Amino acid sequence: MESKELTERTNNLWADLKKKIRDLKVEKKNSLEAAQFSLAETDTAIRSLKSWVITHQFDCWESEVHFFKELKPPFIAKFIYFSRVISLLSSLPHSGTKLKKGIYESELEYLRYFSLENRDFMSYYRRNATYMDRKYFLRFQYDLDVKLAVDIHSYDERFSTSHDHLIAQIIAHDDYEIFLSTQIARLKEKSFEETLPKREVQWTAPKVALTELVFALHHTHCFNGGTTSLSETVKWFEEAFSIDLGNYHNTIAEIKNRKSSPTRFLQLLTENLTTYLEKEEGI
């Protein structure tokens, strides 16, 4: 495989992975589940990428630098990011806004510490500098005069250089910081909402009108695809509006026996909505 083909295949693999992650974010019911499935997809993609690279001989050093500086790190970054999200969400307490906020802030503090420890390389990377690329992003070599990861000898040197993993960490931490900041903002919003006085919505029209509406909605199969029983529907409305509809079967019988306009309330709704729409058209 030529280096150009490797680049094309890597770009296609990355595009496919991003699509799968987007789809999982929509499909899965919560962030933890989405992260778990996304991590599995990322792992599969990285394994494919590794199988292509470990025996590949790059056409030139520029192609090799491009791969390990630009193409590989986003994959590893996703793996790091989802691993951290899973670790965090799976250990969070179910309640306690203050406690959760403290945990998120501790994670942010770790990210700040990482930035301080690696500020020189982060500056090099974010400035798009290139003068050290041959030392940082070529395989089977590293310079002992530059700062190296303490576990560098644990890496597979066929698939790693001295600094590509550090770029992956930077990318992952950028995403993780956004995630943490979003979680903290949601906690603040939730805390603010909890301090607001709650105002109940009360049904102030006659009970017979609500009974008429409930029966109409129920027999139109508006709830749970029509699988909800009439008694369940009535109970929900009673709890929602703190009202007792009493013997609603007798009420609907009285509605049925009306001499004129049995569906009086529904007709009133139609008339009022029609009047409103006609006024809106005239604006």
Side-chain angles (χ1 to χ4, degrees), residues 127-233:
R127 288 186 292 109
N128 295 315
T130 59
Y131 60 90
M132 292 287 286
D133 281 0
R134 295 186 69 167
K135 289 188 176 183
Y136 288 158
F137 305 112
L138 294 180
R139 294 178 295 178
F140 309 109
Q141 63 182 45
Y142 49 85
D143 190 342
L144 292 175
D145 291 329
V146 301
K147 186 176 181 180
L148 300 172
V150 294
D151 56 348
I152 190 170
H153 288 293
S154 299
Y155 299 166
D156 184 344
E157 60 181 354
R158 298 171 302 170
F159 189 54
S160 302
T161 66
S162 64
H163 283 70
D164 67 89
H165 188 75
L166 194 51
I167 288 183
Q169 287 180 292
I170 293 171
I171 297 171
H173 289 181
D174 286 346
D175 290 342
Y176 192 48
E177 182 178 359
I178 293 172
F179 172 80
L180 292 170
S181 298
T182 301
Q183 297 302 109
I184 291 174
R186 287 176 179 172
L187 284 179
K188 290 180 179 178
E189 183 178 339
K190 181 180 179 182
S191 179
F192 175 73
E193 289 175 352
E194 289 174 349
T195 62
L196 295 175
K198 294 183 179 179
R199 182 180 178 184
E200 291 185 358
V201 176
Q202 295 182 333
W203 182 268
T204 54
K207 289 184 181 181
V208 65
L210 181 57
T211 302
E212 184 179 329
L213 177 63
V214 169
F215 268 74
L217 293 172
H218 174 74
H219 288 288
T220 312
H221 307 302
C222 293
F223 307 109
N224 298 333
T227 60
T228 305
S229 67
L230 177 61
S231 60
E232 289 175 324
T233 303

Side-chain angles (χ1 to χ4, degrees), residues 24-210:
L24 286 168
K25 190 174 182 179
V26 174
E27 293 170 6
K28 299 306 173 183
K29 60 183 179 181
N30 57 55
S31 298
L32 177 57
E33 187 178 8
Q36 289 172 320
F37 278 89
S38 296
L39 181 65
E41 291 290 351
T42 303
D43 181 69
T44 300
I46 292 173
R47 289 177 184 274
S48 296
L49 188 63
K50 183 176 181 179
S51 69
W52 302 339
V53 175
I54 57 176
T55 58
H56 182 73
Q57 296 296 322
F58 286 92
D59 300 338
C60 58
W61 70 266
E62 290 91 349
S63 296
E64 186 168 352
V65 165
H66 177 66
F67 178 85
F68 285 103
K69 187 178 183 181
E70 305 291 341
L71 300 183
K72 178 194 169 188
F75 288 88
I76 308 301
K78 287 297 182 187
F79 191 91
I80 296 171
Y81 169 74
F82 288 122
S83 296
R84 294 195 69 88
V85 169
I86 291 169
S87 177
L88 174 70
L89 295 182
S90 61
S91 61
L92 271 182
H94 288 292
S95 60
T97 300
K98 188 175 181 180
L99 181 57
K100 287 181 180 179
K101 185 171 181 288
I103 293 172
Y104 294 146
E105 289 175 343
S106 294
E107 292 292 294
L108 286 173
E109 187 60 34
Y110 164 77
L111 298 185
R112 283 190 282 270
Y113 174 78
F114 174 87
S115 297
L116 288 173
E117 283 291 297
N118 297 281
R119 56 185 175 274
D120 291 338
F121 180 76
M122 289 183 70
S123 174
Y124 177 87
Y125 171 67
R126 295 197 190 283
R127 288 186 292 109
N128 295 315
T130 59
Y131 60 90
M132 292 287 286
D133 281 0
R134 295 186 69 167
K135 289 188 176 183
Y136 288 158
F137 305 112
L138 294 180
R139 294 178 295 178
F140 309 109
Q141 63 182 45
Y142 49 85
D143 190 342
L144 292 175
D145 291 329
V146 301
K147 186 176 181 180
L148 300 172
V150 294
D151 56 348
I152 190 170
H153 288 293
S154 299
Y155 299 166
D156 184 344
E157 60 181 354
R158 298 171 302 170
F159 189 54
S160 302
T161 66
S162 64
H163 283 70
D164 67 89
H165 188 75
L166 194 51
I167 288 183
Q169 287 180 292
I170 293 171
I171 297 171
H173 289 181
D174 286 346
D175 290 342
Y176 192 48
E177 182 178 359
I178 293 172
F179 172 80
L180 292 170
S181 298
T182 301
Q183 297 302 109
I184 291 174
R186 287 176 179 172
L187 284 179
K188 290 180 179 178
E189 183 178 339
K190 181 180 179 182
S191 179
F192 175 73
E193 289 175 352
E194 289 174 349
T195 62
L196 295 175
K198 294 183 179 179
R199 182 180 178 184
E200 291 185 358
V201 176
Q202 295 182 333
W203 182 268
T204 54
K207 289 184 181 181
V208 65
L210 181 57

